[in-house]
Amino acid sequence: MTDITPSGASLLVQDARTQKRNRAEARFKMYGLAAIAVGLLMLVILLTTIISRGTGAFQQTYVTLEVPLLEAKLDKKGNRDLADIKKVSTFGYAPLMKAAFEEKVAAAGIETSLKSKQMAALLSKDAAATLRNYVLQDVDVIGQTIEFEFLTNSRVDGYLKGRVSRDSMANDKSINAAQLDLVDALIADGSLRKRFNLDFITGADASDQRPEAAGMGVAMIGSFFMMLVVLALALPIGVAASIYLEEFAPKNWITDIIEVNISNLAAVPSIVFGILGLAVFINYMHLPNSAPLVGGLVLTLMTLPTIIISTRASLKSVPPSIRDAALGVGASKMQSVFHHVLPLAAPGILTGTIIGLAQALGETAPLLLIGMVGFIASNPPDGITSGLMDPNSAMPAQIYEWAKRADPAFYERAWGGIIILLVFLITMNAIAVLLRRRFERRW
Amino acid sequence: MRDNIISEKDVMQNQTAHPAKIAARNVQVYYGDTHAIKDVNVDIEANTVTAFIGPSGCGKSTFLRCINRMNDTIDVCRVEGDIRIDGEDIYDRKVDPVQLRAKVGMVFQKPNPFPKSIYDNVAYGPRIHGLARNKAELDDIVEKALRRGAIWNEVKDRLHAPGTGLSGGQQQRLCIARAVATEPEVLLMDEPCSALDPIATAQVEELIDELRQSYSVVIVTHSMQQAARVSQKTAFFHLGNLVEFGETDKIFTAPEDPRTESYITGRIG
């Protein structure tokens, strides 16, 4: 026994030990603040970069021309037969557009040394196809002169967005000073302008030559069908597995091994699931390449552990007293689970599922291996079967695809795609948070 | 055929005439390697309140949970011996614990109403057992149960308010109402007042005394005063053994076993 002697120190004076502890605490608070500040700074940098580079993709430059849709060119027989009109390819429309451009330049009183072909080169390579589609939808417009808004090519668009300048033009064979003069004159005339581009959100991807026409829409549908598959498979399988493991399974070494392996699966790199999907779903089961069905199956494999883990956690968080209460009035095990435990765990399960889906939505690596990256999704699917089985891309895959193409206009679209993807992810996470807030019960 | 039915009925009557509603013989309970209940023999009568007292960890709750087989939900728990209700072995392989629990209701230590309406709390048992043919019958059952739980007057105007919004004492009486709604024959109560304040406790105790008219009530309690107040029979458990069992008055005034005396006088426990 040591004798405890009163130190006689005043409480008003901090002793050395207390001072040391207080300093340590102050230091720790500083570290914490610094860490949060660094995190916030990164977030700000990330968001400003994405927004400053990506918003451009939502605007596109258009030029308005008056196009004479000459019957002699488009419908030689004059009977408005759709089959005949379809025989006229985009080459048949090109002269009309050249003529329209010349007309416009003349009407606006712009002096230029350009020939009509060079003028028409300012239009997107997609412009003729757009006009043709418009005519095919309504053949009665043939013979009239219509006012039509054409996409300009990506150089003109870049000039308006500051990506292309008269200095950078020196190395660029696609555009010359005379063309830029014409662009300036058309801007002054008011017929060439930048406006919001809905096609970027709803449209299909376009080939390397036509970045101005590329859109996210079809890839979005691909992602949608994949999420449908994931939701339809991962939620019931995951919830059933979790309920069984959590409520019914005996606790022995087999269930322990299953539990450990589920946790391990959650940490497996997603590309492993991709190669598994390639081997099993495509090479062995012969499901179609690049199909959202296969993508969905692969992402289901990837999402299942996440859903199982979060479902088990929310089942565990239901107090055992509720189970006792149900069993105590003579409910069977299954009744106690389905009548009482599951409804209480539902918000947690939904949250976990949405987070899992969001994770799957942003996943690119497994899609590389099953051919959903690099594919140009040019046509939106018609119907559910086509949506599931026809080759398609997905949002992150589309972003990756754009980012690796040479034209800087695609690079801008990659950033724009990221904005769309982030909007989806933030929305899903917000729904998860709202669900949790809304249905969370306290007892 | 007819004769058979009559004779069966006679047997039933003989059994119910028998004073022991619940008869436990040589009951052993193991939690894994721990021997939690050692060789307990006890006869619990109909229409009496039997109190189980004893220090923490003595096995009284464990034994209580054997009577409606709630211990089945614990993987490592193993029960040996013989517990009979009305002469039927409840650990017989043919007995479905779910059916048993409809007959042997239970009220837990912490009030645990379902996070549903008051009405749904009480109606849940009758619903899953199919006791009501229609809404009107169910309404009757709920009202009767709430009256028996001595809570009807307080909640009759807000039957569809959540049960979790009631006060602690009201919640516990709601749980009692929920337990009696399935028309059990035995009511097990595991320290029903330990989470309640003295006023709520008094209300629940009063209720327990009324419940004795219809049920055989077994109550586990830490409070010796409570045991003395509400019970007719008292069993004293110590370290997994049933040390003494008898009339409550006798246990508290003239205990036979020195351990009982020590506990009652506050020297152990």
Side-chain angles (χ1 to χ4, degrees), chain B residues 57-89:
Chain B
C58 67
K60 53 194 189 304
S61 283
T62 303
F63 183 70
L64 188 80
R65 291 168 66 96
C66 288
I67 301 174
N68 69 346
R69 293 185 58 174
M70 281 298 274
N71 285 331
D72 288 17
T73 58
I74 300 162
D75 277 335
V76 293
C77 183
R78 196 154 48 83
V79 180
E80 285 174 11
D82 203 31
I83 300 178
R84 287 174 186 276
I85 294 181
D86 294 334
E88 290 175 335
D89 182 5

mmCIF file of all heavy atoms in Angstrom, chain B residues 57-89:
data_model
loop_
_atom_site.group_PDB
_atom_site.id
_atom_site.type_symbol
_atom_site.label_atom_id
_atom_site.label_comp_id
_atom_site.label_asym_id
_atom_site.label_seq_id
_atom_site.Cartn_x
_atom_site.Cartn_y
_atom_site.Cartn_z
ATOM 1 N N GLY B 57 -29.194 -14.549 -12.116
ATOM 2 C CA GLY B 57 -28.451 -15.671 -12.664
ATOM 3 C C GLY B 57 -28.758 -16.990 -11.990
ATOM 4 O O GLY B 57 -28.045 -17.969 -12.186
ATOM 5 N N CYS B 58 -29.828 -17.042 -11.181
ATOM 6 C CA CYS B 58 -30.119 -18.281 -10.471
ATOM 7 C C CYS B 58 -30.913 -19.247 -11.334
ATOM 8 O O CYS B 58 -31.150 -20.376 -10.962
ATOM 9 C CB CYS B 58 -30.886 -17.991 -9.187
ATOM 10 S SG CYS B 58 -32.528 -17.344 -9.524
ATOM 11 N N GLY B 59 -31.378 -18.790 -12.488
ATOM 12 C CA GLY B 59 -32.065 -19.710 -13.392
ATOM 13 C C GLY B 59 -33.571 -19.574 -13.390
ATOM 14 O O GLY B 59 -34.251 -20.323 -14.078
ATOM 15 N N LYS B 60 -34.111 -18.596 -12.664
ATOM 16 C CA LYS B 60 -35.573 -18.528 -12.588
ATOM 17 C C LYS B 60 -36.190 -18.139 -13.933
ATOM 18 O O LYS B 60 -37.189 -18.728 -14.355
ATOM 19 C CB LYS B 60 -36.025 -17.575 -11.466
ATOM 20 C CG LYS B 60 -35.424 -16.180 -11.527
ATOM 21 C CD LYS B 60 -35.640 -15.445 -10.222
ATOM 22 C CE LYS B 60 -35.242 -13.977 -10.325
ATOM 23 N NZ LYS B 60 -33.852 -13.747 -10.765
ATOM 24 N N SER B 61 -35.569 -17.190 -14.636
ATOM 25 C CA SER B 61 -36.084 -16.822 -15.953
ATOM 26 C C SER B 61 -35.918 -17.967 -16.950
ATOM 27 O O SER B 61 -36.792 -18.241 -17.763
ATOM 28 C CB SER B 61 -35.359 -15.594 -16.503
ATOM 29 O OG SER B 61 -35.831 -14.439 -15.882
ATOM 30 N N THR B 62 -34.757 -18.622 -16.870
ATOM 31 C CA THR B 62 -34.512 -19.757 -17.750
ATOM 32 C C THR B 62 -35.597 -20.819 -17.578
ATOM 33 O O THR B 62 -36.142 -21.339 -18.551
ATOM 34 C CB THR B 62 -33.139 -20.376 -17.431
ATOM 35 O OG1 THR B 62 -32.162 -19.362 -17.579
ATOM 36 C CG2 THR B 62 -32.831 -21.539 -18.336
ATOM 37 N N PHE B 63 -35.935 -21.098 -16.330
ATOM 38 C CA PHE B 63 -36.950 -22.117 -16.084
ATOM 39 C C PHE B 63 -38.306 -21.649 -16.607
ATOM 40 O O PHE B 63 -39.052 -22.418 -17.213
ATOM 41 C CB PHE B 63 -37.028 -22.441 -14.589
ATOM 42 C CG PHE B 63 -38.005 -23.535 -14.309
ATOM 43 C CD1 PHE B 63 -37.739 -24.849 -14.695
ATOM 44 C CD2 PHE B 63 -39.211 -23.271 -13.684
ATOM 45 C CE1 PHE B 63 -38.652 -25.855 -14.463
ATOM 46 C CE2 PHE B 63 -40.128 -24.281 -13.451
ATOM 47 C CZ PHE B 63 -39.849 -25.562 -13.838
ATOM 48 N N LEU B 64 -38.593 -20.352 -16.401
ATOM 49 C CA LEU B 64 -39.862 -19.817 -16.895
ATOM 50 C C LEU B 64 -39.972 -20.001 -18.403
ATOM 51 O O LEU B 64 -41.012 -20.396 -18.920
ATOM 52 C CB LEU B 64 -39.965 -18.334 -16.533
ATOM 53 C CG LEU B 64 -41.308 -17.681 -16.822
ATOM 54 C CD1 LEU B 64 -42.290 -18.030 -15.717
ATOM 55 C CD2 LEU B 64 -41.179 -16.177 -16.945
ATOM 56 N N ARG B 65 -38.856 -19.709 -19.095
ATOM 57 C CA ARG B 65 -38.878 -19.801 -20.558
ATOM 58 C C ARG B 65 -38.935 -21.238 -21.052
ATOM 59 O O ARG B 65 -39.223 -21.465 -22.230
ATOM 60 C CB ARG B 65 -37.658 -19.088 -21.138
ATOM 61 C CG ARG B 65 -37.715 -17.582 -20.965
ATOM 62 C CD ARG B 65 -36.371 -16.941 -21.276
ATOM 63 N NE ARG B 65 -36.026 -17.088 -22.682
ATOM 64 C CZ ARG B 65 -36.257 -16.150 -23.587
ATOM 65 N NH1 ARG B 65 -36.807 -15.014 -23.246
ATOM 66 N NH2 ARG B 65 -35.928 -16.330 -24.843
ATOM 67 N N CYS B 66 -38.676 -22.197 -20.153
ATOM 68 C CA CYS B 66 -38.852 -23.597 -20.539
ATOM 69 C C CYS B 66 -40.327 -23.940 -20.681
ATOM 70 O O CYS B 66 -40.708 -24.840 -21.419
ATOM 71 C CB CYS B 66 -38.259 -24.538 -19.487
ATOM 72 S SG CYS B 66 -36.488 -24.525 -19.478
ATOM 73 N N ILE B 67 -41.186 -23.207 -19.910
ATOM 74 C CA ILE B 67 -42.586 -23.605 -19.839
ATOM 75 C C ILE B 67 -43.314 -23.308 -21.151
ATOM 76 O O ILE B 67 -44.273 -23.978 -21.491
ATOM 77 C CB ILE B 67 -43.271 -22.929 -18.625
ATOM 78 C CG1 ILE B 67 -42.546 -23.340 -17.335
ATOM 79 C CG2 ILE B 67 -44.743 -23.316 -18.526
ATOM 80 C CD1 ILE B 67 -43.041 -22.641 -16.096
ATOM 81 N N ASN B 68 -42.861 -22.296 -21.898
ATOM 82 C CA ASN B 68 -43.461 -22.143 -23.234
ATOM 83 C C ASN B 68 -42.434 -22.362 -24.343
ATOM 84 O O ASN B 68 -42.628 -21.932 -25.475
ATOM 85 C CB ASN B 68 -44.175 -20.796 -23.394
ATOM 86 C CG ASN B 68 -43.213 -19.631 -23.423
ATOM 87 O OD1 ASN B 68 -42.050 -19.778 -23.076
ATOM 88 N ND2 ASN B 68 -43.701 -18.486 -23.846
ATOM 89 N N ARG B 69 -41.364 -23.036 -23.990
ATOM 90 C CA ARG B 69 -40.331 -23.419 -24.960
ATOM 91 C C ARG B 69 -39.752 -22.228 -25.703
ATOM 92 O O ARG B 69 -39.377 -22.351 -26.874
ATOM 93 C CB ARG B 69 -40.877 -24.468 -25.941
ATOM 94 C CG ARG B 69 -41.155 -25.776 -25.244
ATOM 95 C CD ARG B 69 -41.589 -26.884 -26.176
ATOM 96 N NE ARG B 69 -40.612 -27.166 -27.238
ATOM 97 C CZ ARG B 69 -40.757 -28.182 -28.096
ATOM 98 N NH1 ARG B 69 -41.792 -28.998 -28.002
ATOM 99 N NH2 ARG B 69 -39.873 -28.384 -29.020
ATOM 100 N N MET B 70 -39.654 -21.078 -25.040
ATOM 101 C CA MET B 70 -38.973 -19.951 -25.680
ATOM 102 C C MET B 70 -37.477 -20.226 -25.779
ATOM 103 O O MET B 70 -36.774 -19.603 -26.576
ATOM 104 C CB MET B 70 -39.208 -18.652 -24.898
ATOM 105 C CG MET B 70 -40.541 -18.002 -25.133
ATOM 106 S SD MET B 70 -40.807 -17.495 -26.834
ATOM 107 C CE MET B 70 -40.038 -15.883 -26.814
ATOM 108 N N ASN B 71 -36.994 -21.156 -24.946
ATOM 109 C CA ASN B 71 -35.567 -21.484 -25.014
ATOM 110 C C ASN B 71 -35.206 -22.186 -26.321
ATOM 111 O O ASN B 71 -34.040 -22.266 -26.679
ATOM 112 C CB ASN B 71 -35.167 -22.364 -23.833
ATOM 113 C CG ASN B 71 -35.066 -21.559 -22.558
ATOM 114 O OD1 ASN B 71 -34.773 -20.366 -22.611
ATOM 115 N ND2 ASN B 71 -35.329 -22.181 -21.435
ATOM 116 N N ASP B 72 -36.210 -22.685 -27.026
ATOM 117 C CA ASP B 72 -35.937 -23.330 -28.317
ATOM 118 C C ASP B 72 -35.236 -22.396 -29.283
ATOM 119 O O ASP B 72 -34.519 -22.834 -30.182
ATOM 120 C CB ASP B 72 -37.252 -23.778 -28.980
ATOM 121 C CG ASP B 72 -37.853 -24.969 -28.257
ATOM 122 O OD1 ASP B 72 -37.442 -25.219 -27.114
ATOM 123 O OD2 ASP B 72 -38.733 -25.618 -28.845
ATOM 124 N N THR B 73 -35.484 -21.074 -29.098
ATOM 125 C CA THR B 73 -34.897 -20.133 -30.048
ATOM 126 C C THR B 73 -33.405 -19.928 -29.794
ATOM 127 O O THR B 73 -32.726 -19.319 -30.601
ATOM 128 C CB THR B 73 -35.584 -18.754 -29.961
ATOM 129 O OG1 THR B 73 -35.458 -18.283 -28.617
ATOM 130 C CG2 THR B 73 -37.049 -18.849 -30.318
ATOM 131 N N ILE B 74 -32.925 -20.435 -28.657
ATOM 132 C CA ILE B 74 -31.494 -20.296 -28.361
ATOM 133 C C ILE B 74 -30.797 -21.586 -28.779
ATOM 134 O O ILE B 74 -31.130 -22.670 -28.300
ATOM 135 C CB ILE B 74 -31.276 -20.008 -26.866
ATOM 136 C CG1 ILE B 74 -31.988 -18.704 -26.497
ATOM 137 C CG2 ILE B 74 -29.799 -19.908 -26.543
ATOM 138 C CD1 ILE B 74 -32.203 -18.538 -25.026
ATOM 139 N N ASP B 75 -29.861 -21.461 -29.697
ATOM 140 C CA ASP B 75 -29.262 -22.647 -30.304
ATOM 141 C C ASP B 75 -28.584 -23.569 -29.303
ATOM 142 O O ASP B 75 -28.729 -24.784 -29.372
ATOM 143 C CB ASP B 75 -28.225 -22.222 -31.359
ATOM 144 C CG ASP B 75 -28.902 -21.904 -32.675
ATOM 145 O OD1 ASP B 75 -29.998 -22.455 -32.897
ATOM 146 O OD2 ASP B 75 -28.352 -21.132 -33.452
ATOM 147 N N VAL B 76 -27.842 -22.964 -28.365
ATOM 148 C CA VAL B 76 -27.000 -23.794 -27.499
ATOM 149 C C VAL B 76 -27.774 -24.348 -26.307
ATOM 150 O O VAL B 76 -27.227 -25.107 -25.504
ATOM 151 C CB VAL B 76 -25.782 -22.998 -26.977
ATOM 152 C CG1 VAL B 76 -24.854 -22.660 -28.129
ATOM 153 C CG2 VAL B 76 -26.221 -21.746 -26.253
ATOM 154 N N CYS B 77 -29.052 -23.970 -26.207
ATOM 155 C CA CYS B 77 -29.793 -24.374 -25.014
ATOM 156 C C CYS B 77 -30.390 -25.772 -25.186
ATOM 157 O O CYS B 77 -30.959 -26.109 -26.218
ATOM 158 C CB CYS B 77 -30.902 -23.360 -24.760
ATOM 159 S SG CYS B 77 -31.812 -23.715 -23.284
ATOM 160 N N ARG B 78 -30.277 -26.582 -24.140
ATOM 161 C CA ARG B 78 -30.760 -27.953 -24.201
ATOM 162 C C ARG B 78 -31.569 -28.219 -22.927
ATOM 163 O O ARG B 78 -31.124 -27.892 -21.839
ATOM 164 C CB ARG B 78 -29.541 -28.883 -24.258
ATOM 165 C CG ARG B 78 -29.789 -30.282 -24.679
ATOM 166 C CD ARG B 78 -28.490 -30.854 -25.288
ATOM 167 N NE ARG B 78 -27.337 -30.593 -24.431
ATOM 168 C CZ ARG B 78 -27.024 -31.368 -23.376
ATOM 169 N NH1 ARG B 78 -27.741 -32.399 -23.042
ATOM 170 N NH2 ARG B 78 -25.945 -31.083 -22.648
ATOM 171 N N VAL B 79 -32.772 -28.745 -23.099
ATOM 172 C CA VAL B 79 -33.632 -29.009 -21.944
ATOM 173 C C VAL B 79 -33.827 -30.511 -21.800
ATOM 174 O O VAL B 79 -34.142 -31.189 -22.779
ATOM 175 C CB VAL B 79 -35.001 -28.310 -22.111
ATOM 176 C CG1 VAL B 79 -35.898 -28.592 -20.908
ATOM 177 C CG2 VAL B 79 -34.822 -26.815 -22.306
ATOM 178 N N GLU B 80 -33.635 -31.004 -20.578
ATOM 179 C CA GLU B 80 -33.913 -32.412 -20.308
ATOM 180 C C GLU B 80 -34.943 -32.498 -19.206
ATOM 181 O O GLU B 80 -35.173 -31.539 -18.480
ATOM 182 C CB GLU B 80 -32.621 -33.138 -19.872
ATOM 183 C CG GLU B 80 -31.704 -33.402 -21.025
ATOM 184 C CD GLU B 80 -30.371 -33.977 -20.550
ATOM 185 O OE1 GLU B 80 -30.266 -34.355 -19.356
ATOM 186 O OE2 GLU B 80 -29.445 -34.034 -21.384
ATOM 187 N N GLY B 81 -35.543 -33.682 -19.052
ATOM 188 C CA GLY B 81 -36.552 -33.850 -18.015
ATOM 189 C C GLY B 81 -37.939 -33.739 -18.608
ATOM 190 O O GLY B 81 -38.122 -33.830 -19.822
ATOM 191 N N ASP B 82 -38.886 -33.462 -17.751
ATOM 192 C CA ASP B 82 -40.270 -33.659 -18.116
ATOM 193 C C ASP B 82 -41.078 -32.447 -17.629
ATOM 194 O O ASP B 82 -41.108 -32.162 -16.443
ATOM 195 C CB ASP B 82 -40.726 -34.931 -17.381
ATOM 196 C CG ASP B 82 -41.894 -35.561 -18.061
ATOM 197 O OD1 ASP B 82 -41.982 -35.435 -19.292
ATOM 198 O OD2 ASP B 82 -42.718 -36.155 -17.350
ATOM 199 N N ILE B 83 -41.692 -31.711 -18.554
ATOM 200 C CA ILE B 83 -42.620 -30.663 -18.120
ATOM 201 C C ILE B 83 -43.971 -30.986 -18.728
ATOM 202 O O ILE B 83 -44.080 -31.150 -19.957
ATOM 203 C CB ILE B 83 -42.159 -29.262 -18.570
ATOM 204 C CG1 ILE B 83 -40.786 -28.944 -17.977
ATOM 205 C CG2 ILE B 83 -43.166 -28.204 -18.123
ATOM 206 C CD1 ILE B 83 -40.221 -27.610 -18.408
ATOM 207 N N ARG B 84 -44.983 -31.133 -17.889
ATOM 208 C CA ARG B 84 -46.313 -31.479 -18.391
ATOM 209 C C ARG B 84 -47.290 -30.365 -18.083
ATOM 210 O O ARG B 84 -47.302 -29.824 -16.985
ATOM 211 C CB ARG B 84 -46.806 -32.774 -17.744
ATOM 212 C CG ARG B 84 -46.090 -33.980 -18.267
ATOM 213 C CD ARG B 84 -46.467 -35.236 -17.521
ATOM 214 N NE ARG B 84 -45.625 -36.327 -17.977
ATOM 215 C CZ ARG B 84 -45.893 -37.055 -19.068
ATOM 216 N NH1 ARG B 84 -46.987 -36.831 -19.754
ATOM 217 N NH2 ARG B 84 -45.071 -38.000 -19.443
ATOM 218 N N ILE B 85 -48.088 -30.013 -19.096
ATOM 219 C CA ILE B 85 -49.205 -29.104 -18.867
ATOM 220 C C ILE B 85 -50.462 -29.920 -19.078
ATOM 221 O O ILE B 85 -50.626 -30.537 -20.139
ATOM 222 C CB ILE B 85 -49.151 -27.907 -19.836
ATOM 223 C CG1 ILE B 85 -47.905 -27.062 -19.527
ATOM 224 C CG2 ILE B 85 -50.418 -27.071 -19.718
ATOM 225 C CD1 ILE B 85 -47.746 -25.850 -20.377
ATOM 226 N N ASP B 86 -51.317 -29.958 -18.090
ATOM 227 C CA ASP B 86 -52.513 -30.815 -18.134
ATOM 228 C C ASP B 86 -52.130 -32.241 -18.510
ATOM 229 O O ASP B 86 -52.821 -32.900 -19.290
ATOM 230 C CB ASP B 86 -53.530 -30.291 -19.151
ATOM 231 C CG ASP B 86 -54.087 -28.956 -18.719
ATOM 232 O OD1 ASP B 86 -54.085 -28.685 -17.502
ATOM 233 O OD2 ASP B 86 -54.506 -28.180 -19.595
ATOM 234 N N GLY B 87 -51.016 -32.695 -17.995
ATOM 235 C CA GLY B 87 -50.628 -34.074 -18.219
ATOM 236 C C GLY B 87 -49.959 -34.344 -19.550
ATOM 237 O O GLY B 87 -49.542 -35.477 -19.812
ATOM 238 N N GLU B 88 -49.848 -33.328 -20.408
ATOM 239 C CA GLU B 88 -49.214 -33.560 -21.710
ATOM 240 C C GLU B 88 -47.780 -33.052 -21.684
ATOM 241 O O GLU B 88 -47.530 -31.918 -21.285
ATOM 242 C CB GLU B 88 -49.992 -32.832 -22.815
ATOM 243 C CG GLU B 88 -51.340 -33.451 -23.085
ATOM 244 C CD GLU B 88 -52.159 -32.654 -24.088
ATOM 245 O OE1 GLU B 88 -51.928 -31.432 -24.217
ATOM 246 O OE2 GLU B 88 -53.029 -33.264 -24.716
ATOM 247 N N ASP B 89 -46.884 -33.914 -22.149
ATOM 248 C CA ASP B 89 -45.475 -33.546 -22.164
ATOM 249 C C ASP B 89 -45.237 -32.498 -23.248
ATOM 250 O O ASP B 89 -45.409 -32.772 -24.433
ATOM 251 C CB ASP B 89 -44.623 -34.791 -22.451
ATOM 252 C CG ASP B 89 -43.142 -34.476 -22.430
ATOM 253 O OD1 ASP B 89 -42.796 -33.320 -22.098
ATOM 254 O OD2 ASP B 89 -42.343 -35.364 -22.736
#
